Every structure is written in structure tokens, then in C-alpha cells.
Amino acid sequence: MAEPHLHPEAIWSLIDGRHGDPFAILGPHMTEAGPIVRAFLPGASAVTLLSGRNAVPMTRIHPAGLFTGGIEPGPYRLRIDWNGTIQETEDPYSFAPLLGELDLHLLREGRHQDIGRCLGAHPMVVDGIAGVRFAVWAPNARRVSVVGDFDSWDGRRHPMRLRHEAGVWELFIPRLLPGTVYKYELLGPQGQLLPMKADPIAWQAEPPPATGSIVADTGRLVPPRPLKASGDPALKPISVYEVHPGSWARGDGNAPLDWEELGDKLIPYVKGMGFTHLEFLPIMAHPFGGSWGYQPLGQFATHAPFGAPEHFSRLVERCHEAGIGVILDWVPAHFPTDVHGLAQFDGTALYEHADPREGFHQDWNTLIYNLGRQEVRNFLIGSALHWLEHYGVDALRVDAVASMLYRDYSRKQGEWVPNIYGGRENLESISFLKELSEIIAERCPGKLLIAEESTSFPGVTRKAQDGGLGFDFKWNMGWMNDTLRYMERDPIYRRYDHGLMTFGLVYAFSEKFMLPISHDEVVHGKGALPAKMPGDEWQRYANLRAYLSFMWMHPGKKLLFMGCEFAQPREWNHDRSLDWHLLDEPRHAGMQRLVRDLNELYAGMPALHALDCDPAGFRWVVLDDTEASVFAWLRFGPGGAAPALVVCNFTPVTRQGYRLGVPQGGDWQEVFNSDAGIYGGSNTGNGGRVFAWDEASHGLEASLSLTLPALGTLVLTPSTH
């Protein structure tokens, strides 16, 4: 029978899961007959109202499971009989709204910088009752419900309250615990039932192929103690070890290591190798492991196969205790089309552009964030702050910036939409990146923002207030492409491509650059680093030793992908461990030692890092010896720091008596030789020391005569003795 205070259509829309305002029907209400409680509990055989010492059976007013009962004013509980199984709980529809007016105002304006704690699922205590508050942005949905095992995945059981002013739905469900798996069930704007959606702001997710969100125990996430850092990072040595956490090393049965196991092995290794920073490929929750994390759906959740969120937080703290900074790759450019994710989230193009000419990446089959929408910008900036503040990471490396900057990126004529001025620049993305950098600089001083950006877009590392994008460093993709092309040439032909090695210095100080040899260079048929090098086996490894040494001595911060430090000869495979057994072979152990020594030299000599981004720190000595394929330059440090002379011979010919100018006479010490026997070389060199005569050469007041080892790089510095 129908309750006289309810219109039959209201009852029908509730039991049919179409009612958009459940609090108008459910929970406590004052009627002419006095206070009553209504509860919709499909499948329940009986319900009793518990108020103080009173127990009042509720009346079933609809066979689908709608109950009503009179009650005295005050707190109450529901005792629910699920056909013999008794559940006792508070009524979700007895709680007042929890999101405050300021939260809603900031969400509406797209300025809520702690959106990760405002939206999503958060354990909390309300009116003395422990439970979980859920909140999700879905402004165009007709109804949103929380579903999970706790309500048999029935979207009629826990429909949420719409806070109209911000398009946010919220609900507090008492007695739920951390670890609960849940999703959202939505009706779209035409009343259509959508595929169940994972929570965009969940802090934890199920491991793939499962797609549920998990209520994280956010109280256990204590931000790690920060890494001690001060001063301008451009003046510091920065040497980054890039790692895919699922394949650096594997455990029994080829299982990926979890964060604890990985930290036990990886942190002492990175520390012992002398790298200053550890960079992880994206660790945000992603449905397909073969994307390496570059197609994330959980911008606030750690990837479940590696362990719980608090375990990643502990790994960051352990890195900081070892003096290692942590960098995360972060992807604000695009997201995958999986139906449980952000695509058509509320039945409309909410996070993405509706027009595929703006909203679909043809190269990656992904959707492009609509950065002209303030709520989407807020979502992404909130994600960036989430990793920097809640997990204490030291930097974000922003992926695919070039694709964000240009509307015609990888598109033919007619496949893209010009900006309001008719140009190709993506003004919304540019504005977003500037806003991002300014907020991070204000809220997270000392944290870095690094751009993977492959074009000549001006001012990437100029401050936003000065007209730039505000990044701290930019990957120098041009340098990487040019120098690898040169190294792939047979040495007999390198004379014709000499400029590939020198061109990077034409623009080396136009931005603050990082020199990357990343994962992208050792996959998809490109070959591992040793395979790129020409010649017989000895020459290939000599070429690689000389090249890595060239890189470490070149202006710019350094980044090297895992496995490259010991010259793994096969391409990287994300489904298996690196070939650590190769370190039993001298040529691989020698390469590893070379990289360790390069890091030590780079960090220990101010001339090799302090002016990485300043033209005052560099001077060519020889840049035009194309016949011999020799390059020589000087690196200078601030103040009275000792200079360093770097000489590279990229032919398999030893050169005797090679004369070079230097800024001062006297003894010069050969502090590094890539041809040393300990690295697998032939031990050709200058006996560790050479004398510079007061005879001018190359525009410098003194000169010295060197033996240049075949396919070798030397570093010399004035002797202090």
C-alpha cells in the first residue's frame, strides 16, 4: 500500500532507481502524524527502528522494500533482517550534508587545491559514528549511487545527494571500513544507465583486470619527511635513474616486486651508483600494464600490483633517508577510453572534449582532457599536489607536453580546430601549465616540474610571470636524437655528421635542459644502446663508454634509463627483469663502474654541474676537427672552481700528440678516461698526468699535448699539487 504522504510516482521513481533526490523521501521526515523514518532496503524481510531503548517494527509500504515507521525525535538505528541475517546500522539518510559551502564554492570555481581530500572516499567519524563519506563530480547525471558488496551492487540502495551549486554528489555511509571495494552507478542526462564507474579521485584501486575503487585508509598516509634541499636546482648536480618499478627486478615466478621489496634492493643500488634522483614511470593506477603507466585512469591512486599506498609513501621516505630525490612521471595530456573510467563519465563529455578533433589522440587511441574546463584543470592540479604533498615526492616529470601545446599535434590539415585567433597553439593547455607551475611554486617550494617537450616552443623553463610555462627543466629531445644518430654512424662516415654533436650547444642555454636517454630509446625495435653502436663487439662497447662520458660532461642535467648503466644488450621488456646476471661479465661490470664513476666525478666537480644552464660555464676548444672526429671543450664552475677539459675521440684510431689549448700552464691531471682497463678499455691514455706549456693555442694562453684513446673520452683538470 502507498503512504498517504508520498505521491505514487515518487515511490515508483525511487524503487525504479530514477529518483534524483533520495533525501526528499528517505530518512527522517516530519509529517502531520509526527516524525517518521523511511528506508528503502530491497531484499529485506523486516526492518526495526531502534531509538534509545525503543524498538519499533517498520511497516512495509511497497513490496519492493520501502519501509516506514514512526519515531521519537533523536538519533536512531536500523535493525535489518536480510532473511535471517541481521544487520544493525545507522541510516545513511539521517546525516546532514558534509561538504561545506567553502568547499562547494572552490569546487565550482575550479580552485580547490585539496580536491583529493574533498572528493573521493574518505573514512571519517560523523556525529560519533564511523563510516565513509563519498563525493563525486557528475553535474549532468540524473542519479548517482555508491555500489559495492555492502549493498549487493544495487544502485537503488545508496543513491547520493546532489549539491547543485557544484554538480557534486555526496553520501555518508556509516560503518563502512577502509578496504571496501566500491564504484559509482550513474544515470545519464537522458536517464540511461551507464557502465559502473571507478572513482576518479580514489586513493586506492583494485589490481587489474579488476576495476573497482577501494576506500583507502587515508589516516595511515603520513607525508614523508622532506628531502633536505636548498638553493637553485640549476646549480646542483642532478643525475636521474629512470625506473619502471615492475621490471627493474622480479621475484619468484617472475612476479613483480612490491614497494617494500623493491625499496630493499633499489635504494641501496641507486645510492651506490651515485644517482641523485630516482624517477619512476607513472605509478598511478592504470588498466593496461603494457602502457607502462602512460595511460592512467587513477590520477590519485597508486598502481595496485606494487602494494598499498602507504607502502609507496614509505619508499619515498626511505629514499629521502638515503639522500635520494623521487620524481614521478605524470600524465595530464590524455587518458584511456575504458568504460569504467573517465570517458563519458556522467553520460556527457565531462573530462574530455566532445569534438574528436580536439578530444581524441589518434596516435594513442586516448581521450584528451578538456583543459578549457575549470573543473578538469582543478582535478589535474589537485592530482599534482596530491603526489607532491601527500606522498612527498620531489618532482613531477610532465609527459607529452608537446601534444598539449599544439592543436595540430600529429594531425593533418582539417583534422584539428584552430584556437580563437586562428592559430595552432593550444591556449587552454598553455594557460593550464602556467597555472600549474605557479601553484606548485607557491604551495610546494623546492619541488621541481620537468617537461618532456620535443619542440622549440619558447620559454618552457622561464617563469610563468615572465611569460614562460614555469618548468624547472626541459628534456632536451633534440640533443638526444642528434647525438644518437651520430653514434649510430660508422666512424668512417661521422665526419659528414660532425654537426650533430655540436648543434646542441647552439641552443644549450636557451632553456634549462636535462639530457635524457630514456625508456623510449630502448624499445619498439629501436634496439638497446649497445646495439645502436657500430663496429665489432669491442668497438660497440667502447663507443658506448665514450658516448655516455660525452653525455655526462656535456652541459645539462642527466637522465639514464635502467639497464643502460650496464649496457643491457637486449631491448627493455616490461614483463621481465633486467638481465642482472650480465654483471658477471667484465664488459658489463665495467660499464656499470664507468657510470658510477661519472656520477661521482660529475657531482664532485662544480665545473661539471654548477653552470649547466649558464653559457659562462662552457667554452669550445675544438669543434671543427671533422676529419679526426675529435671534440674538445672546457667546463667552468663559479668563482675559483677548477676548470675541466673534456676531449672526445669518436674514431677507432689512437691519436698521439694531439695539441689543445688550456687556460693555464702547469700540471694537468687526467681524472677520467673512458678507455681505462677497469671499464673494459685498452688502458691507452696519458699516465694520469700531463704538463701544459705556456704556449698559446686555440685562443688560450697555454697548451698541452695528449694521447687520445680510440673511441674514448678524457677529462683533465689542473693539478692541485
Side-chain angles (χ1 to χ4, degrees), residues 180-460:
T180 299
V181 177
Y182 71 98
K183 284 187 177 181
Y184 294 117
E185 182 183 276
L186 300 89
L187 294 185
Q190 281 75 50
Q192 72 276 30
L193 184 64
L194 305 178
M196 289 186 183
K197 296 288 188 177
D199 189 343
I201 303 188
W203 287 31
Q204 193 170 356
E206 287 189 292
T211 57
S213 301
I214 298 176
V215 177
D217 190 352
T218 52
R220 299 180 64 179
L221 274 176
V222 180
R225 288 186 293 273
L227 185 69
K228 292 181 180 179
S230 61
D232 186 348
L235 305 178
K236 307 290 184 181
I238 296 179
S239 179
V240 180
Y241 189 55
E242 186 190 35
V243 166
H244 176 253
S247 59
W248 182 77
R250 292 222 165 189
D252 295 338
N254 198 40
L257 302 180
D258 63 29
W259 292 123
E260 294 289 332
E261 295 167 328
L262 186 65
D264 290 343
K265 297 181 178 182
L266 179 59
I267 293 172
Y269 180 79
V270 172
K271 181 72 171 178
M273 286 294 296
F275 289 99
T276 64
H277 289 73
L278 175 59
E279 178 171 333
F280 286 115
L281 274 60
I283 63 142
M284 298 78 188
H286 50 278
F288 175 50
S291 75
W292 316 326
Y294 288 102
Q295 293 194 10
L297 277 181
Q299 288 282 23
F300 291 75
T302 56
H303 194 48
F306 304 140
E310 61 267 24
H311 295 158
F312 175 68
S313 179
R314 173 59 185 150
L315 182 138
V316 174
E317 180 149 12
R318 292 172 67 187
C319 285
H320 288 177
E321 290 168 352
I324 299 167
V326 178
I327 303 171
L328 293 187
D329 283 11
W330 181 65
V331 188
H334 61 123
F335 58 91
T337 59
D338 300 62
V339 295
H340 71 277
L342 301 179
Q344 292 282 310
F345 187 80
D346 64 356
T348 70
L350 189 63
Y351 286 87
E352 69 272 32
H353 291 274
D355 189 335
R357 295 175 299 167
E358 296 182 279
F360 186 73
H361 258 309
Q362 301 174 86
D363 292 352
W364 304 317
N365 292 318
T366 53
L367 298 170
I368 300 170
Y369 285 108
N370 181 359
L371 295 175
R373 189 162 196 164
Q374 59 198 18
E375 296 95 339
V376 175
R377 293 162 71 112
N378 195 176
F379 168 76
L380 289 169
I381 290 173
S383 168
L385 293 172
H386 176 73
W387 299 104
L388 294 169
E389 295 182 340
H390 297 148
Y391 286 95
V393 302
D394 303 284
L396 297 176
R397 174 267 200 190
V398 182
D399 182 63
V401 171
S403 76
M404 300 174 69
L405 294 177
Y406 296 103
R407 289 174 163 264
D408 64 346
Y409 180 86
S410 196
R411 294 180 187 270
K412 299 175 184 177
Q413 188 66 34
E415 295 179 344
W416 58 283
V417 180
N419 64 33
I420 59 173
Y421 303 110
R424 57 193 286 259
E425 295 80 11
N426 191 320
L427 304 180
E428 294 81 9
S429 290
I430 292 168
S431 171
F432 163 75
L433 292 170
K434 290 183 176 184
E435 181 183 4
L436 172 71
S437 66
E438 288 182 316
I439 288 174
I440 289 176
E442 178 183 351
R443 283 190 54 140
C444 309
K447 308 281 185 168
L448 304 181
L449 204 57
I450 302 165
E452 188 229 6
E453 204 284 305
S454 56
T455 75
S456 57
F457 189 91
V460 173

Side-chain angles (χ1 to χ4, degrees), residues 691-713:
F691 189 79
W693 302 93
D694 291 329
E695 295 179 9
S697 181
H698 298 95
L700 296 161
E701 63 184 42
S703 57
L704 43 71
S705 180
L706 295 176
T707 296
L708 306 185
L711 300 172
T713 295

